[in-house]
């Protein structure tokens, strides 16, 4: 037996697809940086990181690798949060997603310059995107949790 389901999204929800699509470009950009650095600094597979004292330019490579890895560690959470918040505030969610993606590009470029301190501008910018998403997600959850009618359906 099959059931048909109709999904209705709020007006402008499709704007959330723009930052989501840009994460593919972001990931590709950071992956290419790691590939080039792997060749430049002679960090062979399967090593994820350069070993200080063993690899001459371990710290330079590790900065580039960490920019990519750190972005991957947060990308899923940020994008899922953006899509959920987008169900209630689609334009705000899309703008926050764009700010986060832009910040991560800047983060990756800065970190690739070879010093962890150069990642700070990108960190600040990306948090200008993800912190508001976290706030809106918490507000939505609070509104649901304090809605007696909604909660009566749960318990």
């Amino acid at each position: 037996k099959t059931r048909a389901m109709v999904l209705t999204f709020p007006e402008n929800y499709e704007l959330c697809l723009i930052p989501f699509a840009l994460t593919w470009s972001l990931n590709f950009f950071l992956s290419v940086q790691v590939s080039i650095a792997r060749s430049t600094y002679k960090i062979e597979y399967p090593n994820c990181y350069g070993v200080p004292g063993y690899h001459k330019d371990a710290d330079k490579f590790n900065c580039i690798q960490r920019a990519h890895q750190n972005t991957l560690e947060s990308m899923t959470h940020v994008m899922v949060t953006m899509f959920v918040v987008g169900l209630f505030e689609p334009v705000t969610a899309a703008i926050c997603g764009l700010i986060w993606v832009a910040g991560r590009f800047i983060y990756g470029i800065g970190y690739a310059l070879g010093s962890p301190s150069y990642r700070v501008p990108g960190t600040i910018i990306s948090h200008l995107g993800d912190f508001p998403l976290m706030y809106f997600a918490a507000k939505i959850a609070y509104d649901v949790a304090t809605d007696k009618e909604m909660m009566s359906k749960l318990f």
Side-chain angles (χ1 to χ4, degrees), residues 54-94:
Y54 180 78
H55 296 108
K56 179 182 169 222
D57 294 306
D59 287 345
K60 290 178 183 174
F61 174 78
N62 290 346
C63 284
I64 296 166
Q65 171 68 357
R66 279 302 304 148
H68 186 223
Q69 184 64 38
N70 184 264
T71 298
L72 292 176
E73 290 165 0
S74 61
M75 186 183 302
T76 303
H77 292 92
V78 172
M79 289 294 106
V80 168
T81 304
M82 180 193 67
F83 281 125
V84 171
V85 170
L87 293 170
F88 299 85
E89 297 284 343
V91 175
T92 300

Side-chain angles (χ1 to χ4, degrees), residues 31-63:
S31 296
V32 168
Q33 280 193 306
V34 172
S35 294
I36 291 168
R38 187 173 288 286
S39 174
T40 301
Y41 301 124
K42 299 179 181 19
I43 309 295
E44 302 293 325
Y45 285 108
N47 296 310
C48 277
Y49 294 99
V51 179
Y54 180 78
H55 296 108
K56 179 182 169 222
D57 294 306
D59 287 345
K60 290 178 183 174
F61 174 78
N62 290 346
C63 284

Side-chain angles (χ1 to χ4, degrees), residues 23 27 37 44 85 97 101 105 151:
T23 63
N27 186 45
E44 302 293 325
V85 170
V101 171
F105 271 108
M151 293 309 289

